[in-house]
Amino acid sequence: KTSVMFMFFAQWFTDSFLRTSLTDYRKNESNHEIDLCQIYGRNIAATNLLRSMQGGRLKSQTIEGEEYPEFLFAAREAGQPAVFKPEFEGLFDPAFITEVILRSAPEQQTDTFFAVGLEHGNSTIGNTVMNIVFLREHNRVAGILAAENPGWDDERIFQTARNVLIAMLLKLVIEEYIVHIAPFDFPLEAVPFIADEERWNRPNWCAIEFNLLYRWHPLAPDTIGTGPGALDASGFRNNNPLVLEKGIEAITAMCSKEPAGRIGLLNTPAFLIDSSNPAWPSVEQVTVALMRKARLRSF
């Protein structure tokens, strides 16, 4: 009773704080906070690579009059390997990008990968759309702050705009996302400063059980849409050219009209179960291995 757009938002949202280590599946490499690292990166070094350092803005480019993140890879000849632009070196683990992600996407699709905060930021059309929307909103807010506060430098504008965007995301998650999936029609509200100086206020700690509970992989549909324009898994994964062709409004409308898959046993898409690269097991293989290694109780 929900849409594919909800599924994409859930993926984009949870990728920011449920980040299983690639070298030790028992570890979570997240900051355990809702910090919009999807567009800002997980640490200061990554954030600085993504900032324009002018007017508090994130780096972006204009394509046919629309704003998008910068491309991650340098221009290359056909058949040549993808190489990070020098300005983005160190943003991600290059081995993970080239050995896992690029092997599952055609060359024409990877050439349009955007430089965003997380490695999986280009993994689906929904993930790409959310990153574009929030990047545009950050730069829009930064422009307003700069115009209204001419004495502010780049650092103050950027950090203020970032705080505004994080508060906006918290309101969306609490007042829309959580209310949408809750079993009761009960309004929730994000109350500013409600936890300040309270004895019970502690930093978040994402438990391994919560990480596994949040894997709603059956939500992924077999196809999005119907007829000649229907998208199978290869069509809605790693496909920024489609987003550039149709625009984020059309993609959002299409995904909002399409029902998500049903959560339940034996309804996980094949691309999450089968691995094309023996060196990198599939998502579900990693999940089963993690549960066994941590000696968790069965579902």
Side-chain angles (χ1 to χ4, degrees):
K1 295 182 179 179
T2 192
S3 71
V4 167
M5 197 66 222
F6 168 79
M7 175 202 75
F8 281 140
F9 183 90
Q11 178 207 19
W12 174 83
F13 174 55
T14 58
D15 275 357
S16 69
F17 59 86
L18 299 178
R19 297 182 46 78
T20 303
S21 167
L22 296 174
T23 57
D24 186 345
Y25 300 151
R26 298 170 300 174
K27 293 173 63 177
N28 183 354
E29 295 181 335
S30 86
N31 298 324
H32 298 273
E33 298 289 353
I34 308 304
D35 58 3
L36 249 182
C37 57
Q38 299 97 310
I39 63 170
Y40 298 121
R42 290 196 304 119
N43 51 52
I44 294 175
T47 302
N48 289 340
L49 293 177
L50 295 166
R51 290 174 59 176
S52 70
M53 300 300 178
Q54 294 181 346
R57 296 172 58 86
L58 292 165
K59 291 177 181 176
S60 66
Q61 61 178 321
T62 301
I63 302 175
E64 296 185 2
E66 303 256 337
E67 186 178 27
Y68 295 92
E70 291 276 6
F71 290 134
L72 176 63
F73 298 119
R76 55 174 171 160
E77 299 293 333
Q80 294 299 309
V83 178
F84 283 19
K85 289 181 179 178
E87 63 187 290
F88 296 125
E89 288 183 4
L91 184 59
F92 308 128
D93 175 6
F96 178 74
I97 297 292
T98 56
E99 294 298 321
V100 179
I101 296 179
L102 297 192
R103 287 180 181 272
S104 63
E107 188 173 295
Q108 66 269 24
Q109 293 181 202
T110 58
D111 283 343
T112 54
F113 270 26
F114 293 124
V116 291
L118 300 177
E119 300 93 328
H120 292 289
N122 300 277
S123 59
T124 64
I125 56 176
N127 213 325
T128 293
V129 163
M130 295 309 305
N131 285 326
I132 293 170
V133 167
F134 274 82
L135 175 135
R136 290 179 181 178
E137 182 66 1
H138 172 94
N139 286 347
R140 187 188 73 85
V141 171
I144 293 173
L145 292 171
E148 294 185 353
N149 303 278
W152 287 11
D153 60 9
D154 169 76
E155 180 69 9
R156 184 170 184 182
I157 296 170
F158 175 81
Q159 299 298 352
T160 305
R162 180 177 183 170
N163 282 340
V164 170
L165 267 288
I166 291 173
M168 188 183 299
L169 175 61
L170 286 169
K171 284 183 68 67
L172 286 169
V173 169
I174 293 171
E175 299 177 8
E176 303 287 344
Y177 175 82
I178 293 177
V179 169
H180 175 64
I181 62 175
F184 307 107
D185 185 14
F186 185 81
L188 298 175
E189 182 182 358
V191 180
F193 310 116
I194 191 174
D196 280 19
E197 300 182 5
E198 294 289 347
R199 292 183 60 190
W200 49 262
N201 186 16
R202 296 288 186 276
N204 292 319
W205 190 284
C206 297
I208 188 172
E209 289 87 352
F210 184 67
N211 187 343
L212 296 170
L213 173 69
Y214 227 133
R215 301 193 180 210
W216 301 340
H217 296 154
L219 284 173
D222 295 323
T223 60
I224 299 177
T226 58
L231 300 175
D232 60 10
S234 63
F236 60 76
R237 295 164 61 209
N238 305 315
N239 199 354
N240 287 353
L242 181 70
V243 178
L244 291 169
E245 174 192 345
K246 291 185 174 295
I248 62 172
E249 294 88 351
I251 295 291
T252 302
M254 176 178 67
C255 295
S256 297
K257 295 174 182 176
E258 185 71 22
R262 181 179 181 181
I263 293 180
L265 294 175
L266 307 180
N267 198 34
T268 300
F271 70 87
L272 290 170
I273 299 174
D274 303 324
S275 174
S276 58
N277 185 347
W280 297 91
S282 73
V283 172
E284 296 297 355
Q285 287 172 323
V286 169
T287 302
V288 172
L290 169 61
M291 289 189 290
R292 290 174 176 170
K293 191 170 187 177
R295 301 178 68 184
L296 300 183
R297 294 179 63 88
S298 70
F299 281 110

mmCIF file of all heavy atoms in Angstrom, residues 16-57:
data_model
loop_
_atom_site.group_PDB
_atom_site.id
_atom_site.type_symbol
_atom_site.label_atom_id
_atom_site.label_comp_id
_atom_site.label_asym_id
_atom_site.label_seq_id
_atom_site.Cartn_x
_atom_site.Cartn_y
_atom_site.Cartn_z
ATOM 1 N N SER A 16 22.371 6.502 4.450
ATOM 2 C CA SER A 16 23.188 7.498 5.131
ATOM 3 C C SER A 16 23.601 7.071 6.533
ATOM 4 O O SER A 16 24.570 7.608 7.071
ATOM 5 C CB SER A 16 22.433 8.833 5.200
ATOM 6 O OG SER A 16 21.321 8.752 6.083
ATOM 7 N N PHE A 17 22.884 6.133 7.146
ATOM 8 C CA PHE A 17 23.245 5.757 8.515
ATOM 9 C C PHE A 17 23.319 4.255 8.737
ATOM 10 O O PHE A 17 23.727 3.826 9.820
ATOM 11 C CB PHE A 17 22.279 6.391 9.529
ATOM 12 C CG PHE A 17 20.837 6.027 9.349
ATOM 13 C CD1 PHE A 17 20.317 4.888 9.918
ATOM 14 C CD2 PHE A 17 19.997 6.837 8.602
ATOM 15 C CE1 PHE A 17 18.982 4.554 9.760
ATOM 16 C CE2 PHE A 17 18.658 6.521 8.449
ATOM 17 C CZ PHE A 17 18.148 5.369 9.019
ATOM 18 N N LEU A 18 22.946 3.436 7.773
ATOM 19 C CA LEU A 18 23.128 1.991 7.861
ATOM 20 C C LEU A 18 24.184 1.613 6.832
ATOM 21 O O LEU A 18 23.874 1.282 5.694
ATOM 22 C CB LEU A 18 21.808 1.261 7.614
ATOM 23 C CG LEU A 18 20.684 1.578 8.600
ATOM 24 C CD1 LEU A 18 19.413 0.833 8.221
ATOM 25 C CD2 LEU A 18 21.100 1.252 10.026
ATOM 26 N N ARG A 19 25.444 1.699 7.230
ATOM 27 C CA ARG A 19 26.558 1.565 6.292
ATOM 28 C C ARG A 19 27.463 0.414 6.743
ATOM 29 O O ARG A 19 28.427 0.612 7.494
ATOM 30 C CB ARG A 19 27.350 2.869 6.220
ATOM 31 C CG ARG A 19 26.549 4.053 5.695
ATOM 32 C CD ARG A 19 27.400 5.297 5.613
ATOM 33 N NE ARG A 19 28.679 5.040 5.007
ATOM 34 C CZ ARG A 19 28.878 4.899 3.695
ATOM 35 N NH1 ARG A 19 27.877 5.016 2.853
ATOM 36 N NH2 ARG A 19 30.077 4.649 3.224
ATOM 37 N N THR A 20 27.133 -0.794 6.313
ATOM 38 C CA THR A 20 27.923 -1.959 6.685
ATOM 39 C C THR A 20 29.316 -1.874 6.076
ATOM 40 O O THR A 20 29.475 -1.608 4.885
ATOM 41 C CB THR A 20 27.223 -3.241 6.209
ATOM 42 O OG1 THR A 20 25.921 -3.285 6.769
ATOM 43 C CG2 THR A 20 28.006 -4.471 6.632
ATOM 44 N N SER A 21 30.330 -2.106 6.890
ATOM 45 C CA SER A 21 31.714 -2.070 6.427
ATOM 46 C C SER A 21 31.937 -3.125 5.348
ATOM 47 O O SER A 21 31.421 -4.245 5.438
ATOM 48 C CB SER A 21 32.662 -2.318 7.599
ATOM 49 O OG SER A 21 33.972 -2.582 7.143
ATOM 50 N N LEU A 22 32.721 -2.783 4.338
ATOM 51 C CA LEU A 22 33.026 -3.734 3.262
ATOM 52 C C LEU A 22 34.073 -4.758 3.690
ATOM 53 O O LEU A 22 34.226 -5.797 3.052
ATOM 54 C CB LEU A 22 33.522 -2.973 2.032
ATOM 55 C CG LEU A 22 32.517 -2.025 1.381
ATOM 56 C CD1 LEU A 22 33.176 -1.236 0.259
ATOM 57 C CD2 LEU A 22 31.321 -2.790 0.854
ATOM 58 N N THR A 23 34.805 -4.471 4.755
ATOM 59 C CA THR A 23 35.866 -5.380 5.197
ATOM 60 C C THR A 23 35.478 -6.186 6.430
ATOM 61 O O THR A 23 36.045 -7.242 6.687
ATOM 62 C CB THR A 23 37.154 -4.592 5.492
ATOM 63 O OG1 THR A 23 36.873 -3.571 6.474
ATOM 64 C CG2 THR A 23 37.676 -3.936 4.218
ATOM 65 N N ASP A 24 34.537 -5.682 7.217
ATOM 66 C CA ASP A 24 34.066 -6.400 8.402
ATOM 67 C C ASP A 24 32.570 -6.133 8.530
ATOM 68 O O ASP A 24 32.155 -5.060 8.953
ATOM 69 C CB ASP A 24 34.800 -5.915 9.654
ATOM 70 C CG ASP A 24 34.441 -6.731 10.897
ATOM 71 O OD1 ASP A 24 33.434 -7.473 10.855
ATOM 72 O OD2 ASP A 24 35.162 -6.633 11.900
ATOM 73 N N TYR A 25 31.762 -7.129 8.158
ATOM 74 C CA TYR A 25 30.321 -6.931 8.084
ATOM 75 C C TYR A 25 29.682 -6.672 9.454
ATOM 76 O O TYR A 25 28.526 -6.272 9.532
ATOM 77 C CB TYR A 25 29.650 -8.150 7.442
ATOM 78 C CG TYR A 25 30.128 -8.434 6.039
ATOM 79 C CD1 TYR A 25 30.139 -9.732 5.533
ATOM 80 C CD2 TYR A 25 30.567 -7.411 5.217
ATOM 81 C CE1 TYR A 25 30.578 -9.996 4.249
ATOM 82 C CE2 TYR A 25 31.003 -7.665 3.934
ATOM 83 C CZ TYR A 25 31.011 -8.957 3.456
ATOM 84 O OH TYR A 25 31.438 -9.205 2.185
ATOM 85 N N ARG A 26 30.433 -6.892 10.532
ATOM 86 C CA ARG A 26 29.885 -6.614 11.859
ATOM 87 C C ARG A 26 29.933 -5.120 12.190
ATOM 88 O O ARG A 26 29.295 -4.692 13.153
ATOM 89 C CB ARG A 26 30.678 -7.380 12.916
ATOM 90 C CG ARG A 26 30.630 -8.890 12.766
ATOM 91 C CD ARG A 26 31.635 -9.549 13.696
ATOM 92 N NE ARG A 26 32.994 -9.111 13.387
ATOM 93 C CZ ARG A 26 34.053 -9.443 14.121
ATOM 94 N NH1 ARG A 26 33.900 -10.199 15.188
ATOM 95 N NH2 ARG A 26 35.250 -9.009 13.779
ATOM 96 N N LYS A 27 30.679 -4.366 11.420
ATOM 97 C CA LYS A 27 30.878 -2.944 11.724
ATOM 98 C C LYS A 27 29.955 -2.057 10.898
ATOM 99 O O LYS A 27 29.658 -2.359 9.746
ATOM 100 C CB LYS A 27 32.334 -2.561 11.437
ATOM 101 C CG LYS A 27 33.339 -3.216 12.355
ATOM 102 C CD LYS A 27 34.772 -2.934 11.908
ATOM 103 C CE LYS A 27 35.115 -1.467 11.958
ATOM 104 N NZ LYS A 27 36.529 -1.227 11.588
ATOM 105 N N ASN A 28 29.526 -0.967 11.509
ATOM 106 C CA ASN A 28 28.740 0.052 10.828
ATOM 107 C C ASN A 28 29.617 1.299 10.729
ATOM 108 O O ASN A 28 30.063 1.839 11.743
ATOM 109 C CB ASN A 28 27.460 0.349 11.620
ATOM 110 C CG ASN A 28 26.560 1.347 10.915
ATOM 111 O OD1 ASN A 28 26.914 1.920 9.895
ATOM 112 N ND2 ASN A 28 25.384 1.564 11.476
ATOM 113 N N GLU A 29 29.868 1.748 9.513
ATOM 114 C CA GLU A 29 30.766 2.876 9.303
ATOM 115 C C GLU A 29 30.039 4.217 9.275
ATOM 116 O O GLU A 29 30.609 5.224 8.874
ATOM 117 C CB GLU A 29 31.534 2.691 7.985
ATOM 118 C CG GLU A 29 32.464 1.491 7.994
ATOM 119 C CD GLU A 29 33.221 1.349 6.687
ATOM 120 O OE1 GLU A 29 32.718 1.831 5.658
ATOM 121 O OE2 GLU A 29 34.322 0.772 6.709
ATOM 122 N N SER A 30 28.786 4.251 9.716
ATOM 123 C CA SER A 30 28.032 5.490 9.641
ATOM 124 C C SER A 30 28.400 6.424 10.783
ATOM 125 O O SER A 30 29.088 6.055 11.737
ATOM 126 C CB SER A 30 26.523 5.204 9.700
ATOM 127 O OG SER A 30 26.080 5.125 11.033
ATOM 128 N N ASN A 31 27.907 7.648 10.690
ATOM 129 C CA ASN A 31 28.058 8.618 11.770
ATOM 130 C C ASN A 31 26.940 8.494 12.800
ATOM 131 O O ASN A 31 26.923 9.258 13.767
ATOM 132 C CB ASN A 31 28.052 10.036 11.191
ATOM 133 C CG ASN A 31 29.221 10.266 10.245
ATOM 134 O OD1 ASN A 31 30.308 9.764 10.472
ATOM 135 N ND2 ASN A 31 28.986 11.012 9.174
ATOM 136 N N HIS A 32 26.007 7.574 12.572
ATOM 137 C CA HIS A 32 24.885 7.330 13.485
ATOM 138 C C HIS A 32 24.021 8.575 13.675
ATOM 139 O O HIS A 32 23.369 8.731 14.704
ATOM 140 C CB HIS A 32 25.381 6.827 14.840
ATOM 141 C CG HIS A 32 26.115 5.522 14.776
ATOM 142 N ND1 HIS A 32 25.474 4.307 14.843
ATOM 143 C CD2 HIS A 32 27.432 5.230 14.612
ATOM 144 C CE1 HIS A 32 26.372 3.324 14.748
ATOM 145 N NE2 HIS A 32 27.557 3.870 14.601
ATOM 146 N N GLU A 33 24.028 9.452 12.727
ATOM 147 C CA GLU A 33 23.238 10.677 12.808
ATOM 148 C C GLU A 33 22.530 10.923 11.480
ATOM 149 O O GLU A 33 22.970 10.435 10.432
ATOM 150 C CB GLU A 33 24.124 11.894 13.129
ATOM 151 C CG GLU A 33 24.839 11.823 14.468
ATOM 152 C CD GLU A 33 23.907 11.985 15.655
ATOM 153 O OE1 GLU A 33 22.717 12.275 15.455
ATOM 154 O OE2 GLU A 33 24.374 11.808 16.794
ATOM 155 N N ILE A 34 21.450 11.693 11.518
ATOM 156 C CA ILE A 34 20.811 12.161 10.290
ATOM 157 C C ILE A 34 21.523 13.462 9.919
ATOM 158 O O ILE A 34 21.202 14.538 10.437
ATOM 159 C CB ILE A 34 19.299 12.386 10.508
ATOM 160 C CG1 ILE A 34 18.652 11.146 11.124
ATOM 161 C CG2 ILE A 34 18.632 12.764 9.190
ATOM 162 C CD1 ILE A 34 18.862 9.870 10.340
ATOM 163 N N ASP A 35 22.531 13.373 9.083
ATOM 164 C CA ASP A 35 23.386 14.528 8.796
ATOM 165 C C ASP A 35 23.431 14.883 7.309
ATOM 166 O O ASP A 35 24.251 15.688 6.887
ATOM 167 C CB ASP A 35 24.801 14.284 9.316
ATOM 168 C CG ASP A 35 25.442 13.028 8.720
ATOM 169 O OD1 ASP A 35 24.802 12.380 7.868
ATOM 170 O OD2 ASP A 35 26.579 12.691 9.110
ATOM 171 N N LEU A 36 22.555 14.272 6.509
ATOM 172 C CA LEU A 36 22.489 14.517 5.070
ATOM 173 C C LEU A 36 23.837 14.284 4.398
ATOM 174 O O LEU A 36 24.213 14.997 3.474
ATOM 175 C CB LEU A 36 21.988 15.935 4.776
ATOM 176 C CG LEU A 36 20.597 16.030 4.134
ATOM 177 C CD1 LEU A 36 20.249 17.494 3.843
ATOM 178 C CD2 LEU A 36 20.502 15.233 2.853
ATOM 179 N N CYS A 37 24.537 13.246 4.864
ATOM 180 C CA CYS A 37 25.806 12.911 4.218
ATOM 181 C C CYS A 37 25.584 12.443 2.784
ATOM 182 O O CYS A 37 26.543 12.330 2.016
ATOM 183 C CB CYS A 37 26.554 11.848 5.017
ATOM 184 S SG CYS A 37 25.635 10.311 5.279
ATOM 185 N N GLN A 38 24.329 12.196 2.391
ATOM 186 C CA GLN A 38 24.042 11.829 1.002
ATOM 187 C C GLN A 38 24.540 12.895 0.034
ATOM 188 O O GLN A 38 24.967 12.582 -1.079
ATOM 189 C CB GLN A 38 22.548 11.619 0.783
ATOM 190 C CG GLN A 38 21.942 10.516 1.616
ATOM 191 C CD GLN A 38 21.277 11.039 2.864
ATOM 192 O OE1 GLN A 38 21.866 11.813 3.605
ATOM 193 N NE2 GLN A 38 20.042 10.620 3.108
ATOM 194 N N ILE A 39 24.480 14.163 0.439
ATOM 195 C CA ILE A 39 24.980 15.233 -0.440
ATOM 196 C C ILE A 39 26.204 15.939 0.132
ATOM 197 O O ILE A 39 26.920 16.620 -0.611
ATOM 198 C CB ILE A 39 23.893 16.279 -0.771
ATOM 199 C CG1 ILE A 39 23.421 17.006 0.493
ATOM 200 C CG2 ILE A 39 22.725 15.633 -1.494
ATOM 201 C CD1 ILE A 39 22.529 18.208 0.191
ATOM 202 N N TYR A 40 26.480 15.752 1.448
ATOM 203 C CA TYR A 40 27.604 16.456 2.066
ATOM 204 C C TYR A 40 28.820 15.564 2.322
ATOM 205 O O TYR A 40 29.876 16.074 2.694
ATOM 206 C CB TYR A 40 27.166 17.081 3.388
ATOM 207 C CG TYR A 40 26.073 18.112 3.251
ATOM 208 C CD1 TYR A 40 24.855 17.954 3.911
ATOM 209 C CD2 TYR A 40 26.233 19.245 2.460
ATOM 210 C CE1 TYR A 40 23.848 18.893 3.798
ATOM 211 C CE2 TYR A 40 25.230 20.190 2.330
ATOM 212 C CZ TYR A 40 24.036 20.011 3.001
ATOM 213 O OH TYR A 40 23.031 20.939 2.881
ATOM 214 N N GLY A 41 28.680 14.253 2.169
ATOM 215 C CA GLY A 41 29.789 13.362 2.477
ATOM 216 C C GLY A 41 29.822 13.008 3.954
ATOM 217 O O GLY A 41 29.207 13.668 4.788
ATOM 218 N N ARG A 42 30.580 11.961 4.300
ATOM 219 C CA ARG A 42 30.571 11.446 5.670
ATOM 220 C C ARG A 42 31.561 12.147 6.590
ATOM 221 O O ARG A 42 31.541 11.936 7.800
ATOM 222 C CB ARG A 42 30.880 9.953 5.674
ATOM 223 C CG ARG A 42 29.775 9.086 5.099
ATOM 224 C CD ARG A 42 29.955 7.628 5.476
ATOM 225 N NE ARG A 42 31.243 7.094 5.090
ATOM 226 C CZ ARG A 42 32.145 6.617 5.921
ATOM 227 N NH1 ARG A 42 31.923 6.617 7.211
ATOM 228 N NH2 ARG A 42 33.294 6.145 5.477
ATOM 229 N N ASN A 43 32.458 12.944 6.054
ATOM 230 C CA ASN A 43 33.443 13.609 6.895
ATOM 231 C C ASN A 43 33.835 14.947 6.268
ATOM 232 O O ASN A 43 33.417 15.274 5.152
ATOM 233 C CB ASN A 43 34.682 12.720 7.095
ATOM 234 C CG ASN A 43 35.232 12.204 5.775
ATOM 235 O OD1 ASN A 43 35.477 12.969 4.842
ATOM 236 N ND2 ASN A 43 35.422 10.893 5.674
ATOM 237 N N ILE A 44 34.629 15.716 6.993
ATOM 238 C CA ILE A 44 34.978 17.065 6.541
ATOM 239 C C ILE A 44 35.741 17.026 5.226
ATOM 240 O O ILE A 44 35.520 17.862 4.336
ATOM 241 C CB ILE A 44 35.791 17.791 7.627
ATOM 242 C CG1 ILE A 44 34.924 18.029 8.861
ATOM 243 C CG2 ILE A 44 36.332 19.120 7.106
ATOM 244 C CD1 ILE A 44 35.677 18.637 10.033
ATOM 245 N N ALA A 45 36.649 16.058 5.080
ATOM 246 C CA ALA A 45 37.441 15.979 3.850
ATOM 247 C C ALA A 45 36.548 15.786 2.634
ATOM 248 O O ALA A 45 36.719 16.449 1.600
ATOM 249 C CB ALA A 45 38.461 14.846 3.953
ATOM 250 N N ALA A 46 35.563 14.878 2.743
ATOM 251 C CA ALA A 46 34.641 14.646 1.627
ATOM 252 C C ALA A 46 33.778 15.879 1.378
ATOM 253 O O ALA A 46 33.531 16.259 0.230
ATOM 254 C CB ALA A 46 33.761 13.430 1.922
ATOM 255 N N THR A 47 33.321 16.510 2.453
ATOM 256 C CA THR A 47 32.497 17.715 2.300
ATOM 257 C C THR A 47 33.249 18.795 1.545
ATOM 258 O O THR A 47 32.699 19.447 0.645
ATOM 259 C CB THR A 47 32.076 18.247 3.685
ATOM 260 O OG1 THR A 47 31.358 17.235 4.385
ATOM 261 C CG2 THR A 47 31.186 19.476 3.550
ATOM 262 N N ASN A 48 34.516 18.974 1.882
ATOM 263 C CA ASN A 48 35.303 20.016 1.216
ATOM 264 C C ASN A 48 35.506 19.734 -0.270
ATOM 265 O O ASN A 48 35.621 20.664 -1.072
ATOM 266 C CB ASN A 48 36.651 20.179 1.915
ATOM 267 C CG ASN A 48 36.522 20.831 3.280
ATOM 268 O OD1 ASN A 48 35.526 21.495 3.564
ATOM 269 N ND2 ASN A 48 37.512 20.633 4.133
ATOM 270 N N LEU A 49 35.545 18.463 -0.647
ATOM 271 C CA LEU A 49 35.667 18.123 -2.065
ATOM 272 C C LEU A 49 34.388 18.468 -2.821
ATOM 273 O O LEU A 49 34.431 18.725 -4.036
ATOM 274 C CB LEU A 49 35.976 16.638 -2.228
ATOM 275 C CG LEU A 49 37.337 16.150 -1.730
ATOM 276 C CD1 LEU A 49 37.457 14.641 -1.907
ATOM 277 C CD2 LEU A 49 38.479 16.853 -2.465
ATOM 278 N N LEU A 50 33.254 18.452 -2.133
ATOM 279 C CA LEU A 50 31.961 18.684 -2.778
ATOM 280 C C LEU A 50 31.543 20.151 -2.747
ATOM 281 O O LEU A 50 30.623 20.547 -3.461
ATOM 282 C CB LEU A 50 30.881 17.834 -2.098
ATOM 283 C CG LEU A 50 31.056 16.319 -2.250
ATOM 284 C CD1 LEU A 50 30.142 15.574 -1.276
ATOM 285 C CD2 LEU A 50 30.763 15.881 -3.679
ATOM 286 N N ARG A 51 32.211 20.967 -1.941
ATOM 287 C CA ARG A 51 31.868 22.387 -1.838
ATOM 288 C C ARG A 51 32.518 23.195 -2.950
ATOM 289 O O ARG A 51 33.648 22.918 -3.365
ATOM 290 C CB ARG A 51 32.318 22.942 -0.491
ATOM 291 C CG ARG A 51 31.535 22.436 0.682
ATOM 292 C CD ARG A 51 32.106 22.910 2.001
ATOM 293 N NE ARG A 51 32.153 24.374 2.114
ATOM 294 C CZ ARG A 51 32.550 25.013 3.203
ATOM 295 N NH1 ARG A 51 32.938 24.319 4.280
ATOM 296 N NH2 ARG A 51 32.556 26.335 3.231
ATOM 297 N N SER A 52 31.825 24.238 -3.385
ATOM 298 C CA SER A 52 32.420 25.148 -4.373
ATOM 299 C C SER A 52 33.319 26.174 -3.717
ATOM 300 O O SER A 52 34.135 26.808 -4.386
ATOM 301 C CB SER A 52 31.310 25.866 -5.142
ATOM 302 O OG SER A 52 30.647 26.806 -4.297
ATOM 303 N N MET A 53 33.175 26.356 -2.399
ATOM 304 C CA MET A 53 33.904 27.356 -1.620
ATOM 305 C C MET A 53 33.575 28.782 -2.050
ATOM 306 O O MET A 53 34.352 29.709 -1.826
ATOM 307 C CB MET A 53 35.421 27.112 -1.691
ATOM 308 C CG MET A 53 35.847 25.764 -1.153
ATOM 309 S SD MET A 53 35.380 25.543 0.594
ATOM 310 C CE MET A 53 35.951 23.866 0.895
ATOM 311 N N GLN A 54 32.426 28.943 -2.654
ATOM 312 C CA GLN A 54 31.958 30.268 -3.057
ATOM 313 C C GLN A 54 30.470 30.398 -2.730
ATOM 314 O O GLN A 54 29.656 29.583 -3.170
ATOM 315 C CB GLN A 54 32.173 30.500 -4.558
ATOM 316 C CG GLN A 54 33.639 30.550 -4.969
ATOM 317 C CD GLN A 54 33.798 30.809 -6.456
ATOM 318 O OE1 GLN A 54 32.846 30.694 -7.227
ATOM 319 N NE2 GLN A 54 35.004 31.160 -6.863
ATOM 320 N N GLY A 55 30.120 31.396 -1.943
ATOM 321 C CA GLY A 55 28.720 31.659 -1.635
ATOM 322 C C GLY A 55 28.021 30.564 -0.880
ATOM 323 O O GLY A 55 26.784 30.485 -0.905
ATOM 324 N N GLY A 56 28.788 29.687 -0.196
ATOM 325 C CA GLY A 56 28.188 28.612 0.589
ATOM 326 C C GLY A 56 27.566 27.501 -0.235
ATOM 327 O O GLY A 56 26.807 26.687 0.296
ATOM 328 N N ARG A 57 27.899 27.424 -1.503
ATOM 329 C CA ARG A 57 27.226 26.493 -2.408
ATOM 330 C C ARG A 57 27.989 25.178 -2.538
ATOM 331 O O ARG A 57 29.196 25.097 -2.292
ATOM 332 C CB ARG A 57 27.089 27.129 -3.796
ATOM 333 C CG ARG A 57 26.212 28.361 -3.831
ATOM 334 C CD ARG A 57 26.292 29.044 -5.191
ATOM 335 N NE ARG A 57 25.893 28.156 -6.280
ATOM 336 C CZ ARG A 57 24.648 27.983 -6.687
ATOM 337 N NH1 ARG A 57 23.657 28.666 -6.106
ATOM 338 N NH2 ARG A 57 24.367 27.168 -7.678
#
